[in-house]
Amino acid sequence: MVRALTLVGMVWASATVSAAPDADDYRRSLGLREAWSGLTRDVAFPAQWRGDGHFYYRHTVEGGFAFVLGSPDSAQLQPAFDAARLAQGLSAASGQDVAPLRLPFSQFAYVAEGDNPNGAIRFSLDSTYATWRCTLTDYLCALVTRAGRPRGFGVVRDLRVPADNAPRRSPDGQWEAYAEGFNVVLRHVADGKVTPLTRDGRGDAFYDPETLAWSPDSRHIALYRVTPGFPRLVTRVESAPAGQLQPVLQTQLYPKPGDAVDIEQPVLFDVAGNRKPIDTPLVSNPYSLSPIQWRSDSSSFSMEYVARGFQTVRVVAVDAGTGKAHAAVEEKADTFVYADRTFLHDVGGQGRELLWISERDGWRHLYLIDGTDGSVRQQITQGDWVVRDVLHVDDTQRRIWFSASGMDAGQDPYQRQLFSVNFDGRNLTRLTHAPADHDVAISPDGRYYIDVYSRPDMPPVASLHRIDGTPVRELARGDISRLLAAGWKAPESFVAKGRDGRTDIWGMVVRPGDYDPKRRYPVVENIYAGPHDAFVPKTFWPFGYHSGGDKQIGMQALADLGFIVVQIDGMGTAHRSKAFHDVAWKNLGDSGFPDRIAWHKALAAKDRSYDISGGVGIYGASAGGQSTLGALELHPELYTVGVAMAGCFDNRMDKISWNEQWMGWPVDARYARASGVTHAAKLRGDLLLVVGEQDSNVDPASTAQVVDALIKAGKDFDLLNVPGGEHSVGRSTGPIDYVTRRQFDFFVRHLMRAPTPRWNAEKKGQP
């Protein structure tokens, strides 16, 4: 594409587009992922360990990808399995063509098959997230189904499905416990004598056999008594089901914010049939309780309690002899405790000392807690940086290995480095040093680790180390020479101050392959602002796509049509300070836009090719779809064109878990203030809504309600409803992804102001 440039005043502006992208441009652009993935060698993915001390990982090879298996004791690598037979077995079971060097997963786990602890593998498909299991002897593959009763987003049991009532045998083999109706009974294995443990179970307060846990000494049983929550069902019409003409009705158990959840309360019995009353005020208002965990000496059991509203999390311990409960750990916040990222390690397994992660000082750090009274014995780490993940704990050495980020002044604060430290906070040791993101996997025995480190502009290096950091050998070093020869250019980082004028906001810039700094390019932002993570890639990113929780569109593919495409982590996202994160609290409509707008303006002031004079385009899926709509409604001075896919546009319509964590409970007026439906009449600019008819993650009625509000407000917009489409509405429906092409078309027409090819004249309407 060629643009003439004119200087108007002191602002460079693009003139008429002389060459709009044609079908060949689309073909090249949308073929990048396939082309690039074949041009690299030994680009390693994060490593994993088997229980027997072998490691394995995926890497690029001629023709695609291969999985290799190795051992610290040998420099030889071997195939992790027979890829040809696995592809054949998965093809037969799934009905989809699977190629041996294009297996549709990047990680897997070895699982037992018969007497062989590594006789099968288990994995989730990249496209559908369905879990499969394949044996490694006859290579038979099957979908994995969960035994027992499913729960809607983990908090409401589906009482239409029977519970898994297989007898739970005691560790000493003398007893079995199981449910009879709504009650629980104990059977003596030797003589078959059955003793009822409860008689007061009923439909609205039953004893759940799936939660039953034996003490290690076989003297006690603990389980939950359940008061069922509200069984909300979302109903969807599948309008074009495969293999038949008539539509099909689909239903899904789908709790939403404010709905009553299952109330679980612990109960305790001994094998003589005696019930020991438990004080329950410490777990009186549960959003959730974790599975019961017995201490190794059988003296007590514990459970992690998340209070409704996510402002209190406790580890509650119950004495087996008395039933007395106490808070072994208590975490409170005025905003939220990030319950999905808590960490608990019971030192020695007896509940006397606990390792815990807390943000109580404003940063995410490790603490040693006295498990008998919940007091802090030692803050282990401290400083203006964050502990990301605990990777290994050695109780004997009293030492912890963990990843952390933000310790290096002037460097990317999201890059992870590996450290170790004593329980008393002494001897903090840095084990990785390269200025990159380090993805570390530690062996089960704690003797070795594999470090795969990279940046978006640097291919991965995988190396094996002893646990003290001593290098053993390099495993793989990515070769991207052919990729560079083909014209690939690394994305760029850009840092600007946020809304407060002080905080650094980090983003990524992707330019067209034929970028000319003398030209002007319209700008498109790829947005996902969910508070549960940060989203700008920090690792090598060779194939033109960035996969997060939801399928993202290829930023490079879009850029190559004549755009500059960016991604930004604004305030409200994770892995920075607690204050940075708290911006999202009851404020998801913010989406970090004040920071994003400041970032765009800062880059435009520095780079004259970065043209935001005609507005910025924006696209996103799921929570990114919500943010996209919010951009056009609340910030039309900058954002003028948007593609919102599978959006949770009103948090009251979405799943309970994610939304109550960030928007709070009870449901209040702030939910409405964050709703794209509420602000529909404020829409300016051009909007394309995309929704999958069978979205099981976000109720598709959320999109329909936006459509209804826009119609009532007299607004023009485009809508693409994909029959049978799931949450990943961009699934391939032809030679390319149809939804991707429609999205690209939308930006070419409305942001570039250029015509698109006449697709209906093309074969099958595709590039």
Side-chain angles (χ1 to χ4, degrees):
M1 279 172 272
V2 178
R3 289 180 179 77
L5 294 176
T6 58
L7 188 60
V8 181
M10 294 300 292
V11 179
W12 285 91
S14 56
T16 305
V17 175
S18 58
D22 59 21
D24 287 337
D25 293 323
Y26 274 79
R27 289 187 186 99
R28 283 190 294 271
S29 182
L30 291 163
L32 281 180
R33 182 178 189 177
E34 182 67 22
W36 284 357
S37 64
L39 296 179
T40 65
R41 297 293 177 271
D42 262 348
V43 168
F45 289 71
Q48 298 170 264
W49 290 87
R50 280 195 332 197
D52 62 1
H54 286 74
F55 59 82
Y56 56 100
Y57 60 89
R58 183 195 198 206
H59 68 147
T60 57
V61 297
E62 183 74 37
F65 305 89
F67 292 88
V68 292
L69 178 71
S71 166
D73 301 324
S74 171
Q76 298 299 313
L77 297 173
Q78 64 186 63
F81 45 74
D82 187 327
R85 293 188 66 190
L86 183 70
Q88 184 178 22
L90 187 56
S91 296
S94 67
Q96 304 293 322
D97 289 334
V98 177
L101 296 181
R102 300 284 175 157
L103 295 172
F105 55 91
S106 58
Q107 290 192 313
F108 67 91
Y110 284 98
V111 293
E113 170 69 11
D115 295 332
N116 185 350
N118 302 305
I121 64 170
R122 185 170 177 156
F123 53 87
S124 294
L125 297 186
D126 294 335
S127 58
T128 64
Y129 313 112
T131 300
W132 287 78
R133 183 180 184 276
C134 297
T135 63
L136 299 183
T137 49
D138 49 15
Y139 285 87
L140 294 178
C141 299
L143 272 169
V144 175
T145 56
R146 179 186 180 275
R149 178 175 283 155
R151 303 187 191 187
F153 299 110
V155 294
V156 177
R157 289 162 172 80
D158 190 343
L159 299 182
R160 299 170 298 177
V161 179
D164 176 6
N165 195 30
R168 271 65 173 178
R169 182 162 289 197
S170 61
D172 64 7
Q174 296 187 38
W175 306 91
E176 289 181 338
Y178 55 94
E180 283 190 351
F182 300 124
N183 289 294
V184 63
V185 300
L186 186 66
R187 188 176 76 87
H188 192 238
V189 173
D191 59 16
K193 181 181 178 181
V194 174
T195 302
L197 294 179
T198 69
R199 300 180 186 275
D200 58 345
R202 55 184 191 269
D204 61 352
F206 61 88
Y207 296 89
D208 185 354
E210 294 186 354
T211 67
L212 193 148
W214 278 97
S215 63
D217 64 5
S218 302
R219 295 177 56 195
H220 290 91
I221 302 166
L223 75 161
Y224 290 135
R225 190 180 190 187
V226 180
T227 300
F230 174 59
R232 180 187 296 278
L233 296 177
V234 164
T235 302
R236 302 185 298 268
V237 175
E238 187 175 0
S239 55
Q244 70 179 67
L245 178 64
Q246 298 302 325
V248 174
L249 199 64
Q250 306 285 2
T251 60
Q252 178 187 357
L253 182 63
Y254 192 103
K256 294 185 177 183
D259 286 351
V261 301
D262 288 356
I263 302 297
E264 298 177 318
Q265 294 293 292
V267 290
L268 174 66
F269 305 92
D270 62 26
V271 291
N274 300 309
R275 180 170 181 165
K276 301 185 178 183
I278 297 175
D279 298 327
T280 57
L282 290 173
V283 293
S284 61
N285 183 29
Y287 173 81
S288 65
L289 287 173
S290 69
I292 291 166
Q293 297 290 324
W294 279 93
R295 292 333 186 355
S296 60
D297 62 0
S298 298
S299 63
S300 62
F301 66 87
S302 68
M303 56 214 157
E304 191 169 314
Y305 162 81
V306 179
R308 197 79 187 263
F310 290 83
Q311 291 178 293
T312 300
V313 173
R314 296 188 185 103
V315 177
V316 177
V318 178
D319 185 274
T322 65
K324 184 178 180 181
H326 75 277
V329 182
E330 182 170 85
E331 194 72 29
K332 287 181 173 288
D334 293 333
T335 54
F336 59 85
V337 178
Y338 190 5
D340 288 346
R341 292 297 303 274
T342 58
F343 170 79
L344 174 68
H345 174 75
D346 187 345
V347 181
Q350 297 181 4
R352 298 186 182 94
E353 293 181 302
L354 305 173
L355 294 175
W356 181 251
I357 282 183
S358 170
E359 293 182 291
R360 63 188 66 187
D361 77 345
W363 299 84
R364 193 167 190 262
H365 282 298
L366 283 162
Y367 291 78
L368 182 64
I369 305 293
D370 187 323
T372 63
D373 61 13
S375 63
V376 175
R377 288 189 180 180
Q378 176 73 52
Q379 181 170 351
I380 300 171
T381 60
Q382 55 189 311
D384 294 353
W385 48 276
V386 296
V387 172
R388 295 288 290 273
D389 292 289
V390 176
L391 303 175
H392 181 68
V393 178
D394 189 315
D395 289 353
T396 302
Q397 293 187 50
R398 295 181 69 80
R399 195 158 179 82
I400 308 161
W401 284 258
F402 65 95
S403 63
S405 58
M407 295 187 75
D408 298 317
Q411 292 189 19
D412 189 324
Y414 297 93
Q415 290 176 346
R416 294 169 294 172
Q417 299 284 348
L418 177 65
F419 296 84
S420 62
V421 68
N422 291 346
F423 285 9
D424 61 7
R426 297 179 181 178
N427 297 323
L428 177 66
T429 303
R430 181 167 180 163
L431 297 171
T432 56
H433 299 276
D437 184 78
H438 294 257
D439 194 306
V440 174
I442 297 180
S443 62
D445 61 8
R447 296 175 59 204
Y448 298 94
Y449 67 84
I450 292 176
D451 175 21
V452 180
Y453 66 90
S454 70
R455 295 190 308 262
D457 63 344
M458 183 182 77
V461 176
S463 53
L464 175 67
H465 300 256
R466 291 186 174 85
I467 197 64
D468 63 1
T470 303
V472 176
R473 62 180 173 273
E474 188 175 286
L475 300 172
R477 182 175 291 267
D479 179 354
I480 62 169
S481 55
R482 293 202 300 171
L483 187 65
L484 291 168
W488 177 82
K489 294 180 178 64
E492 306 163 17
S493 287
F494 182 71
V495 185
K497 298 302 180 184
R499 68 186 75 185
D500 59 5
R502 302 185 307 275
T503 304
D504 284 342
I505 303 298
W506 287 70
M508 171 181 281
V509 183
V510 178
R511 301 180 189 272
D514 61 354
Y515 171 73
D516 180 351
K518 296 179 181 179
R519 288 164 52 183
R520 297 277 280 169
Y521 295 89
V523 174
V524 179
E525 180 181 344
N526 170 11
I527 190 169
Y528 194 92
H532 57 283
D533 209 337
F535 303 96
V536 176
K538 301 301 175 184
T539 57
F540 187 61
W541 189 52
F543 308 128
Y545 286 73
H546 169 53
S547 296
D550 304 297
K551 183 174 180 181
Q552 301 288 314
I553 305 301
M555 292 170 65
Q556 187 68 58
L558 177 57
D560 280 358
L561 293 181
F563 301 93
I564 294 177
V565 186
V566 302
Q567 192 170 13
I568 308 162
D569 282 322
M571 291 186 188
T573 52
H575 309 322
R576 301 285 289 274
S577 68
K578 176 64 171 165
F580 189 102
H581 205 183
D582 278 349
V583 169
W585 173 240
K586 293 194 173 185
N587 189 34
L588 290 182
D590 179 277
S591 295
F593 279 122
D595 312 301
R596 297 169 188 277
I597 292 169
W599 190 95
H600 282 293
K601 291 180 177 179
L603 184 51
K606 180 180 179 181
D607 180 356
R608 70 177 188 176
S609 72
Y610 195 80
D611 184 6
I612 62 173
S613 61
V616 171
I618 187 168
Y619 69 89
S622 196
Q626 178 184 20
S627 297
T628 297
L629 178 61
L632 270 62
E633 292 175 336
L634 303 178
H635 303 281
E637 73 284 356
L638 182 68
Y639 295 100
T640 58
V641 182
V643 179
M645 297 169 285
C648 43
F649 299 112
D650 189 313
N651 300 103
R652 297 167 294 185
M653 287 290 293
D654 194 21
K655 68 194 77 63
I656 187 172
S657 50
W658 197 84
N659 294 277
E660 284 197 9
Q661 165 75 85
W662 310 114
M663 288 299 294
W665 175 89
V667 174
D668 59 19
R670 296 195 185 189
Y671 276 78
R673 289 202 291 270
S675 169
V677 177
T678 302
H679 301 290
K682 300 176 183 177
L683 176 71
R684 291 167 56 187
D686 300 294
L687 171 67
L688 168 61
L689 295 167
V690 183
V691 62
E693 177 192 66
Q694 293 302 309
D695 192 332
S696 61
N697 186 297
V698 173
D699 186 349
S702 184
T703 299
Q705 292 184 3
V706 171
V707 169
D708 180 60
L710 291 172
I711 291 172
K712 289 175 179 175
K715 298 294 182 178
D716 287 345
F717 61 95
D718 287 60
L719 172 67
L720 175 59
N721 189 336
V722 181
E726 246 288 358
H727 193 55
S728 54
V729 289
R731 285 184 308 186
S732 179
T733 56
I736 66 157
D737 182 338
Y738 177 79
V739 174
T740 303
R741 193 265 286 169
R742 289 288 301 271
Q743 181 203 355
F744 289 6
D745 282 348
F746 202 75
F747 288 122
V748 170
R749 291 171 185 153
H750 295 283
L751 190 62
M752 188 180 288
R753 303 292 181 184
T756 55
R758 297 180 61 225
W759 297 119
N760 288 353
E762 296 280 334
K763 184 179 180 181
K764 295 184 180 180
Q766 300 287 354

